Amino acid sequence: MQTVLSAILIAVGAFFMFVAALGIVRMPDLFLRMSATSKAATLGAASILLATAVYFNDLGIASRALATIVFLLLTTPIAAHILGRAAYLTGTPLWEGTVCDELRGRYDVRTRTLASSPHPLQQTDHQETVQH
Amino acid sequence: MNLTAFAFQWILPLLSVAIVLAFVRLWRGPSLPDRVVALDLLATLGMGVIAVYAIATDQPVFLDVAIILALISFLGTVAFAYYLERKA
């Protein structure tokens, strides 16, 4: 029973990790790539760690695996947000099929502050905003 | 089917292909943030490989390595992002 359950959890986790690796190769844009990796890879790692907790059936190992899962769930969104913010500020180009860029014209690159409405003089493209 | 054989025949090859795909992005990535994202994914995939290997060889000691790898990959990603933002 435990072996079957942990085998299923390992298979699900490996599948999601493979999907994350496929997404980082196939997606057209840095931000789409990050959306593929940060979610799918976290889910895959959490599933595999849960499989270790089920398989070994020991309190110390299960608590270690759960602590690692909680740590992953806390840190992966923070890392993705910091990296996405730095990439947007340094002018990583968006995909040409991007429908909506809500930060366009609202991010002052010098002071790194966010305005609630686009400034009338600063209604520039993302590419132009980055240059000054 | 034995869980060790299942892990060695199906799961670890699948994760190896995933690592190769992440290396493709690390090699080809047009900008530096792409490479940082690929490195972050590589660390997470390494965590998965270590956890599967701990189950396949019945050695729970390897899980400590997975915890340390998660810590170091988070710190590395934050340091890379800070460097990218300061450089701009």
Side-chain angles (χ1 to χ4, degrees):
Chain A
M1 182 62 202
Q2 274 174 20
T3 312
V4 172
L5 190 58
S6 59
I8 291 171
L9 282 172
I10 285 177
V12 169
F15 171 73
F16 274 107
M17 280 188 159
F18 181 74
V19 167
L22 206 61
I24 203 177
V25 174
R26 292 291 298 159
M27 283 291 189
D29 184 3
L30 171 78
F31 303 101
L32 290 172
R33 276 171 211 144
M34 282 177 60
S35 108
T37 61
S38 58
K39 282 175 286 199
T42 309
L43 182 59
S47 179
I48 288 180
L49 286 168
L50 207 61
T52 61
V54 169
Y55 177 73
F56 286 112
N57 198 11
D58 182 70
L59 184 61
I61 296 164
S63 61
R64 246 178 288 172
L66 287 181
T68 315
I69 292 173
V70 169
F71 181 77
L72 267 183
L73 291 182
L74 281 179
T75 56
T76 310
I78 298 173
H81 175 249
I82 292 175
L83 194 59
R85 183 172 179 271
Y88 192 87
L89 283 175
T90 53
T92 306
L94 300 178
W95 182 38
E96 66 263 18
T98 304
V99 179
C100 177
D101 179 10
E102 289 194 351
L103 289 181
R104 170 184 295 174
R106 299 185 182 189
Y107 227 136
D108 192 355
V109 182
R110 282 207 196 114
T111 60
R112 310 247 158 112
T113 51
L114 194 62
S116 58
S117 66
H119 196 274
L121 292 177
Q122 277 190 344
Q123 264 188 346
T124 52
D125 239 358
H126 172 62
Q127 300 293 336
E128 296 170 33
T129 315
V130 160
Q131 281 172 3
H132 56 67
Chain B
M1 193 180 193
N2 196 1
L3 190 56
T4 306
F6 176 66
F8 275 120
Q9 286 173 9
W10 292 98
I11 301 300
L12 287 175
L14 189 64
L15 288 177
S16 310
V17 173
I19 286 178
V20 169
L21 289 177
F23 260 109
V24 167
R25 180 51 68 195
L26 183 67
W27 184 45
R28 217 173 62 176
S31 65
L32 188 55
D34 288 298
R35 297 194 164 99
V36 178
V37 170
L39 270 180
D40 195 26
L41 181 65
L42 270 178
T44 312
L45 287 172
M47 271 184 57
V49 168
I50 288 169
V52 171
Y53 198 76
I55 288 183
T57 59
D58 214 352
Q59 293 275 341
V61 191
F62 290 144
L63 282 178
D64 297 340
V65 187
I67 299 176
I68 301 300
L69 198 59
L71 276 165
I72 290 179
S73 97
F74 172 64
L75 286 182
T77 308
V78 170
F80 260 121
Y82 188 74
Y83 163 68
L84 278 172
E85 231 185 287
R86 289 296 114 184
K87 206 180 63 172

